[in-house]
Amino acid sequence: MKALVYHGPGQRSWDTVTDPTIIDPTDIVVRIDSSTICGTDLHILKGDVPDCKPGTVLGHEAVGTVLETGASVSTLAVGDRVLVSCVSSCGRCRYCKESRYGQCLGGGGWIFGNLIDGLQAEYARVPFADNSVYKVPDGLNDEQVLFLSDILPTAYEVGVLNGMVSPGDVVAIVGAGPIGLAAVLTSMLYTPGKIVAIDLDDSRLESALRFGADIAINNGREDACARVMELTDGGADVAFEAVGVQQTFELATELIRPCGRVANIGVHGKPVTLHLETLWTRDVTVTTGLVDTYTIPRLMKLVASGRLDPTIFATHRFALGDTMSAYDTFSDAASTNALKVVLQGSERDPSSNGHIAASVMAGAV
Ligand SMILES: NC(=O)c1ccc[n+]([C@@H]2O[C@H](COP(=O)([O-])OP(=O)(O)OC[C@H]3O[C@@H](n4cnc5c(N)ncnc54)[C@H](O)[C@@H]3O)[C@@H](O)[C@H]2O)c1
Ligand SMILES: [Zn+2]
Ligand SMILES: [Zn+2]
């Protein structure tokens, strides 16, 4: 099959690799119908994720069709259309039993496109399948659910739920990339008083307003903290850090009110200072988190009922075979204005809404 392979920092190619097969009885093999690229894939290509070894197929987000099931898989059948979570769950360890799949001790966690071959490929082996994929309801197309693999549960769990967004809250979101924008969408589920988006890039801020933010602040031109103080009674109730650098983490801690909450979402590659010398009297709460994706079923229901529409993330579409160009477009977001690129598998029928090709029903790979 063909797949996007990481060959070390700065190097990727669309290669012919060995077809995946069932290795463990809890595995399934899926045909990838739709996949996408994440900012984390770009981090890998910069060499920021040393666990990911050269030769690994990248990608941790996909909608696929089950082609083969391992002997102990009991809830899935050949032909099922499934959303593959970016985080796998063994289902047996202490953390999986608490729905904290990101911390899985039994071989799960964030493994796709990192520790094992990922999902930017024609086919993929999916371990712990009963616990790690979600059947796509009939009537929902791939693009309606694809971004529930990663960015929506990340923003919702690590941002909105950890930050305990409540009706009426002023929510400040530092960083309006796909994660910050997903935080705009999922904060709106809680009827906040105001959503303030902060970014250096005007096109990202325009997207934030389009997604539902009330106020956009370009912190390259304005003092974001002073603006938030003007707009509020002593600061935001909740701030999300959705970039992953010192400056934005500091800003998030500065612009909340006493007793406010900072939910850190960004991945920090470098040490960051927590200014307890000014924060200790302010009764603030700071949370951290790696996504668990335990909210995928809830988010899927919201999509099915029309309360959540993730399709607005899809700015560009490419055939799966053109994944190399898709990376070029995604990694140059400053000029392409890309939010999420959709990689479309060749057998995917976008109008199918759950229709399964006859060859797949017959189990042919
Ligand atoms: N915690 C988790 O489980 C988890 C999961 C997925 C992604 N992440 C992380 O979330 C973060 C955001 O992801 P993304 O895909 O949206 O990233 P992204 O790089 O696409 O977006 C980041 C945004 O931050 C803006 N920005 C950069 N520097 C800034 C500054 N100094 N002030 C204000 N804005 C600034 C950029 O213009 C951009 O719009 C990343 O660090 C990513 O690795 C965390
Ligand atoms: Zn990701
Ligand atoms: Zn586990």
Side-chain angles (χ1 to χ4, degrees), residues 154 177-179 199-200 204 219 242-243 247-248 265-267 289-291:
T154 296
I179 296 283
D199 202 292
L200 296 170
R204 288 281 163 98
N219 60 323
V243 185
Q247 187 202 356
T248 47
I265 313 175
V267 171
L290 171 68
V291 65

Side-chain angles (χ1 to χ4, degrees), residues 38-41 60-61 86 150-151 340:
C38 178
T40 305
D41 298 319
H60 49 263
E61 301 157 90
C86 67
D150 180 352
I151 59 168
K340 286 296 257 184

Side-chain angles (χ1 to χ4, degrees), residues 3-69:
L4 194 285
V5 181
Y6 170 64
H7 289 290
Q11 293 176 56
R12 56 175 156 86
S13 49
W14 183 247
D15 292 350
T16 301
V17 300
T18 312
D19 285 353
T21 53
I22 303 282
I23 296 175
D24 295 314
T26 48
D27 292 347
I28 58 173
V29 172
V30 296
R31 181 192 75 207
I32 302 297
D33 299 324
S34 296
S35 185
T36 180
I37 307 174
C38 178
T40 305
D41 298 319
L42 303 184
H43 275 296
I44 294 173
L45 281 161
K46 281 187 202 137
D48 291 347
V49 185
D51 284 346
C52 182
K53 301 295 179 220
T56 305
V57 173
L58 294 185
H60 49 263
E61 301 157 90
V63 177
T65 300
V66 179
L67 296 185
E68 208 182 334
T69 58

Side-chain angles (χ1 to χ4, degrees), residues 105 129 160 215 299 327:
L105 298 171
V160 175
I215 295 152
L299 292 167
Y327 263 86

